[in-house]
Amino acid sequence: EIVLTQSPGTLSLSPGERATLSCRASQSVSSNYLAWYQQRPGQPPRLLIYGASSRATGIPDRFSGSGSGTDFTLTISRLEPEDFAVYFCQQYGRSPRTFGQGTKVEIK
Amino acid sequence: EVQLLESGGGLVQPGGSLRLSCAASGFTFSMYAMNWVRQAPGKGLEWVSTLSGSGGSSYYADSVKGRFTISRDNSKSTLYLQMNGLRAEDTAVYYCAKDPVVGATSGFYFEFWGQGTLVTVSS
């Protein structure tokens, strides 16, 4: 199975700052089938990005995804208070679908 | 508006059984594959099982194969997960999640998620 490794484990930033989250795959993710989710405490995950760079419906344009092959990035251009949460990447290019372990974005 | 509402979680002893349900609304249920994804307390996410829209194709994670059975009743827009032989490591919040592609039989990203139901396996 494809193992996804996210870094850093925790990102400490202030509102208004830029956040850059990394997701590295143990094998190439076919067709860039890579998604990103946000999970706030006590809430289910919410889809942010699919196909590595396509924003889901209703997602603000401060969220952007990039990358291909084995290296992918989620960027939040300017952090809003509601963006402090845990972020997961997920690949769906090969079965079984797998998730990264998550990156927590916390207020500095 | 898509809504997914899970139920059926609770406390069960090791070796016991439980059946989870997920009531769906806001979309044509039979046209989409549906999934179960779980999250152990304080941990990451793990895909558990997928069932095609017709119910004809099912897929399981190795960790649950032979113990869990996914099913659906399209007339009731409801997804189920029958869990037998439960173990302590099955303790998690179980989420129902909708696939994004009409008519696909398996594996994409998870477009919408329910609020989840907690399953605790303990003596």
Side-chain angles (χ1 to χ4, degrees):
Chain A
E1 71 176 44
I2 295 179
V3 176
L4 299 178
T5 302
Q6 293 186 239
S7 61
T10 302
L11 199 50
S12 299
L13 295 168
S14 300
E17 290 193 294
R18 181 184 188 90
T20 303
L21 288 66
S22 173
C23 176
R24 179 162 291 178
S26 60
Q27 307 168 43
S28 183
V29 178
S30 61
S31 305
N32 291 337
Y33 280 170
L34 193 288
W36 290 93
Y37 302 86
Q38 176 194 68
Q39 188 175 34
R40 297 171 177 148
Q43 294 295 312
R46 177 176 70 144
L47 176 68
L48 298 176
I49 301 286
Y50 62 93
S53 61
S54 297
R55 270 188 301 276
T57 302
I59 301 303
D61 60 7
R62 65 180 180 272
F63 291 92
S64 63
S66 62
S68 64
T70 61
D71 289 294
F72 298 88
T73 300
L74 175 70
T75 301
I76 311 171
S77 58
R78 288 178 55 86
L79 284 164
E80 298 287 341
E82 62 268 28
D83 299 338
F84 291 92
V86 179
Y87 293 84
F88 295 95
C89 58
Q90 177 236 332
Q91 66 82 23
Y92 51 102
R94 181 174 295 185
S95 181
R97 286 173 279 183
T98 52
F99 293 88
Q101 82 281 15
T103 289
K104 182 179 182 180
V105 178
E106 66 175 22
I107 299 177
K108 186 174 181 181
Chain B
E1 179 191 5
V2 171
Q3 292 194 11
L4 302 169
L5 183 61
E6 301 93 338
S7 62
L11 175 63
V12 60
Q13 292 188 339
S17 298
L18 214 53
R19 188 176 86 151
L20 306 183
S21 299
C22 170
S25 61
F27 64 102
T28 305
F29 183 70
S30 62
M31 295 179 69
Y32 294 88
M34 295 293 294
N35 309 271
W36 290 99
V37 179
R38 67 184 180 184
Q39 185 171 34
K43 301 296 184 182
L45 298 161
E46 179 188 19
W47 167 75
V48 172
S49 184
T50 297
L51 185 61
S52 63
S54 68
S57 300
S58 59
Y59 309 86
Y60 298 92
D62 287 345
S63 57
V64 306
K65 200 172 293 182
R67 300 187 298 124
F68 289 11
T69 302
I70 191 171
S71 62
R72 65 195 294 160
D73 185 338
N74 286 342
S75 69
K76 295 181 179 180
S77 296
T78 302
L79 178 73
Y80 303 99
L81 185 68
Q82 177 67 43
M83 304 185 293
N84 299 330
L86 283 161
R87 307 167 179 166
E89 55 265 36
D90 296 319
T91 294
V93 174
Y94 284 74
Y95 295 104
C96 168
K98 173 186 173 293
D99 250 35
V101 179
V102 170
T105 57
S106 68
F108 284 87
Y109 51 91
F110 305 103
E111 186 183 25
F112 291 102
W113 300 63
Q115 289 296 314
T117 187
L118 176 62
V119 173
T120 303
V121 184
S122 175
S123 55

